[in-house]
Amino acid sequence: MHDSKPFSQACENNKQCILDVLRTVFTQPGIILEIGSGTGQHAVHFSSALPHLTWQPSDKPGNAQLCQARIKEAKLPNILPPLELDVNRAPWPLQVFDGVFSANTAHIMAWPEVAAMFRGVAAGLGSGQPFCLYGPFRYGRRHTSDSNHQFDLHLRNQAEHMGIRDLDDLRQLASTVGLSLADDAAMPANNHLLVWRKQ
Ligand SMILES: C[S@@+](CC[C@H](N)C(=O)[O-])C[C@H]1O[C@@H](n2cnc3c(N)ncnc32)[C@H](O)[C@@H]1O
């Protein structure tokens, strides 16, 4: 049974595997901007396990408050109230940070929004700092599983602008803003955690 706070079963399933990688990447104290926080389950799980970080949740207006009750209830000293941040809208309410995390956003955003996200992230990170992007991705134009293929069709049926992104396109985009792929961790359920670093 869950209470009335917004809840995602997928977040419950993936949060520990993601954390296992984040603890090897976000090793330095600092502010981590989360883009598209959704229910806030990731924000609470990661900030409680990584007390050297200050976690800054955010989401676009209309969704930014989805995580508020969960964050308040968690009473953690290192998690900040959510910001309204739409990657399209410059200037971002937080423009300098030490790391970025975003889960399951690249296939929901339109491609120009993905580009805006990479631009804003690259502008705010210092040299060598990480951007962790979790979700399903295609490799060499191919899906990694039939279920991802079905999910991609489902997304594209829902809205033309959505769809699973190809790693080659993301690499190309990243190179134009000064980010490069430092690591690619395979995760359960045919997902990946891509670790980009500012050059
Ligand atoms: C599938 S949900 C993922 C939520 C959460 N990260 C998770 O893994 O469950 C996609 C998220 O992307 C956010 N999003 C979509 N477009 C956005 C934009 N232009 N700027 C910021 N966030 C956006 C949505 O509001 C939503 O919270």
Side-chain angles (χ1 to χ4, degrees):
M1 278 292 286
H2 299 292
D3 58 26
S4 60
K5 294 188 294 297
F7 174 83
S8 152
Q9 186 58 50
C11 283
E12 284 310 294
N13 298 346
N14 62 35
K15 66 185 186 182
Q16 192 55 41
C17 304
I18 297 175
L19 174 61
D20 290 343
V21 178
L22 294 190
R23 64 166 87 252
T24 70
V25 177
F26 294 149
T27 53
Q28 301 302 313
I31 296 186
I32 305 300
L33 172 65
E34 180 179 6
I35 297 174
S37 296
T39 65
Q41 285 159 266
H42 284 152
V44 167
H45 192 65
F46 303 152
S47 56
S48 76
L50 304 171
H52 61 288
L53 302 177
T54 300
W55 200 269
Q56 175 60 77
S58 77
D59 211 323
K60 62 181 188 179
N63 284 353
Q65 302 314 316
L66 284 179
C67 62
Q68 198 148 37
R70 185 178 301 279
I71 286 169
K72 261 193 176 166
E73 192 180 278
K75 292 194 173 71
L76 291 163
N78 62 329
I79 182 164
L80 299 169
L83 288 176
E84 289 194 344
L85 187 157
D86 181 332
V87 295
N88 284 314
R89 289 199 204 159
W92 286 8
L94 182 68
Q95 290 164 54
V96 179
F97 25 78
D98 303 294
V100 180
F101 172 75
S102 191
N104 292 316
T105 47
H107 59 272
I108 300 295
M109 293 175 183
W111 182 250
E113 294 179 302
V114 178
M117 173 163 70
F118 272 69
R119 265 199 312 278
V121 166
L125 289 176
S127 176
Q129 289 181 322
F131 167 32
C132 294
L133 181 64
Y134 171 87
F137 301 98
R138 289 187 307 163
Y139 290 77
R141 311 283 151 207
R142 299 173 77 91
H143 290 289
T144 58
S145 68
D146 190 48
S147 61
N148 278 7
H149 188 197
Q150 295 308 319
F151 180 48
D152 189 40
L153 291 174
H154 168 74
L155 288 168
R156 289 172 196 276
N157 274 336
Q158 269 189 292
E160 257 178 37
H161 70 263
M162 298 198 287
I164 295 181
R165 308 301 169 195
D166 195 281
L167 185 66
D168 291 341
D169 294 335
L170 291 172
R171 268 185 195 272
Q172 162 65 26
L173 167 63
S175 71
T176 66
V177 297
L179 290 169
S180 54
L181 189 65
D183 201 6
D184 176 351
M187 300 267 110
N190 306 303
N191 288 299
H192 285 250
L193 184 55
L194 306 179
V195 182
W196 306 91
R197 285 193 187 270
K198 178 84 174 281
Q199 287 151 9

